[in-house]
Amino acid sequence: MTARRRVRPRRVTLDACAKLNLGLAVGPRRADGYHDLITVFQSVSLADTLTATRTTRGFALTVRHEDVALRGGDARRDRGRVPAGRDNLVLRAARLVHERFALPGGVRFTLVKRIPTQAGMGGGSADAAAALDAVIRLHGLRVSRAERMAMALELGSDVPFACLGGTALGQGRGEGLKSLRLAAPFRAVVAMPVWRISTADAFRRHHLNGNSLTPWEGHRRFAASLGRRRVSAPALLRRGNRFEELLGQHRRDFDSLCARLHAAGARHPRMTGSGSAVFAIVPSGGSVREIVDRFVGEEPLYEVRSTAKGLRLRSSGRHDDVHG
Ligand code: C5P
């Protein structure tokens, strides 16, 4: 069973990083209703901040939106899009750890939300990973990697990667993870269209368009070859994102956005996850400011850089409890 560490902080604050998918291939639907996928996940610097405080009972969450777009942002747009109450992944994660380890008391969370929602940037998954980690720290639990990853997967397909962070090949539902090394860190500009896409709908469309599974074997061979050498972000991006082929009525907007990012000086535009955010690489030595100034369009723009971690502990305070 799980051992306790000596120190149990009363409060912890963590940064929870967004992710980008450096290419994404989708395979056939499995017996459990999920689809196998092959992708390379990359943690990036844009992060939410979660503070968790131990309380005597109950679970509560307050969300504050902070607009960090370089231009065109409006955090109010996202305000209604973070599920409140019991469905929020932060509260589900906290309840899961409490139930799994029969923990006493409750937790009060405050979340500063900066990652755009329903973007394909894994914001909700990052928050869930942070909540898991926070509760584990608040109770000084020693939890094996396998136990943590199993809880993460119960919360969502992208949550295991959010716990791991860095650069990783993702297979299976996304939980089959293998850490990779980037040939070079990169900066990217992310553009956020007003339209949003439901992940479940995107997978459903893929299933209904099943005739395009031919390239899947090629992607599998490619995935098997990864890990020996460092990976280059542009080379991964050139492999495409299956969900771009399934955009339907939004395809024209997507093509226009890619063309405008390219015209502004950013390279290899690609959708992340099932969208709708589109990102493009800032050429080395290039200026984000110049790209932002040259960009023609209303979409909010964000600057991100690749990071080696998904979760960062900011502070861990008021250690009020010490076990023998
Ligand atoms: O796991 P998560 O809750 O993030 O997935 C949301 C939905 O996306 C699932 O209910 C499923 O319909 C779809 N999905 C899938 N295959 C995956 C991941 C997600 O079909 N690998």
Side-chain angles (χ1 to χ4, degrees):
M1 206 36 216
T2 304
R4 291 275 173 97
R5 285 210 177 97
R6 291 180 69 237
V7 175
R8 298 198 308 142
R10 179 173 287 280
R11 176 179 298 162
V12 294
T13 299
L14 292 153
D15 282 337
C17 292
K19 59 88 177 161
L20 296 175
N21 293 89
L22 306 180
L24 196 162
V26 187
R29 186 151 81 178
R30 318 184 316 191
D32 64 3
Y34 286 91
H35 295 76
D36 277 326
L37 50 85
I38 293 171
T39 187
V40 173
F41 292 109
Q42 174 62 57
S43 300
V44 291
S45 49
L46 179 60
D48 293 341
T49 302
L50 183 73
T51 298
T53 309
R54 255 191 298 121
T55 59
T56 50
R57 59 188 290 270
F59 299 93
L61 170 68
T62 313
V63 183
R64 179 163 64 79
H65 289 264
E66 196 173 285
D67 193 351
V68 291
L70 296 173
R71 56 167 259 188
D74 181 359
R76 278 173 304 183
R77 275 188 192 175
D78 275 338
R79 216 154 269 181
R81 289 183 163 132
V82 177
R86 295 184 66 84
D87 285 344
N88 189 285
L89 275 173
V90 167
L91 297 178
R92 283 179 47 203
R95 260 188 238 105
L96 180 62
V97 187
H98 269 253
E99 280 163 21
R100 187 68 38 97
F101 299 106
L103 300 174
V107 190
R108 187 176 67 242
F109 292 99
T110 57
L111 176 65
V112 181
K113 193 90 203 120
R114 303 185 189 90
I115 305 171
T117 56
Q118 283 182 281
M121 298 186 77
S125 302
D127 301 340
L132 278 182
D133 196 61
V135 177
I136 287 168
R137 286 174 185 279
L138 289 179
H139 290 273
L141 303 173
R142 285 187 200 279
V143 178
S144 71
R145 176 187 152 124
E147 256 174 329
R148 186 187 292 248
M149 289 307 198
M151 287 192 288
L153 188 60
E154 280 186 45
L155 296 164
S157 303
D158 287 348
V159 185
F161 171 73
C163 293
L164 178 70
T167 310
L169 171 66
Q171 291 182 278
R173 269 175 68 191
E175 84 285 18
L177 293 166
K178 177 179 182 183
S179 287
L180 302 174
R181 286 174 306 155
L182 269 185
F186 65 87
R187 292 173 298 156
V189 172
V190 180
M192 193 62 224
V194 273
W195 46 274
R196 299 292 208 266
I197 292 168
S198 125
T199 303
D201 280 354
F203 277 105
R204 218 169 288 127
R205 279 193 207 186
H206 166 79
H207 180 63
L208 297 173
N209 287 268
N211 53 354
S212 63
L213 286 177
T214 332
W216 179 243
E217 270 311 309
H219 288 295
R220 290 202 352 172
R221 279 194 296 278
F222 174 72
S225 77
L226 288 178
R228 289 191 282 277
R229 271 180 270 131
R230 289 175 181 264
V231 289
S232 128
L236 294 170
L237 291 171
R238 275 193 282 271
R239 299 191 65 84
N241 177 337
R242 166 67 175 143
F243 290 119
E244 291 173 8
E245 298 160 29
L246 302 165
L247 283 171
Q249 55 166 334
H250 298 304
R251 178 71 203 203
R252 204 188 273 237
D253 286 338
F254 167 76
D255 286 340
S256 152
L257 180 51
C258 290
R260 286 179 286 122
L261 284 167
H262 200 269
R267 294 291 169 259
H268 312 290
R270 193 96 279 161
M271 206 162 77
T272 175
S274 58
S276 58
V278 176
F279 66 102
I281 306 281
V282 178
S284 61
S287 153
V288 171
R289 187 33 66 196
E290 279 174 27
I291 291 172
V292 170
D293 289 345
R294 280 198 293 257
F295 178 76
V296 179
E298 299 299 316
E299 291 89 349
L301 296 180
Y302 301 82
E303 176 185 5
V304 300
R305 61 192 155 66
S306 55
T307 57
K309 282 190 162 188
L311 295 175
R312 286 189 302 256
L313 181 64
R314 271 204 184 191
S315 68
S316 170
R318 292 210 272 154
H319 298 249
D320 64 346
D321 215 332
V322 176
H323 294 269

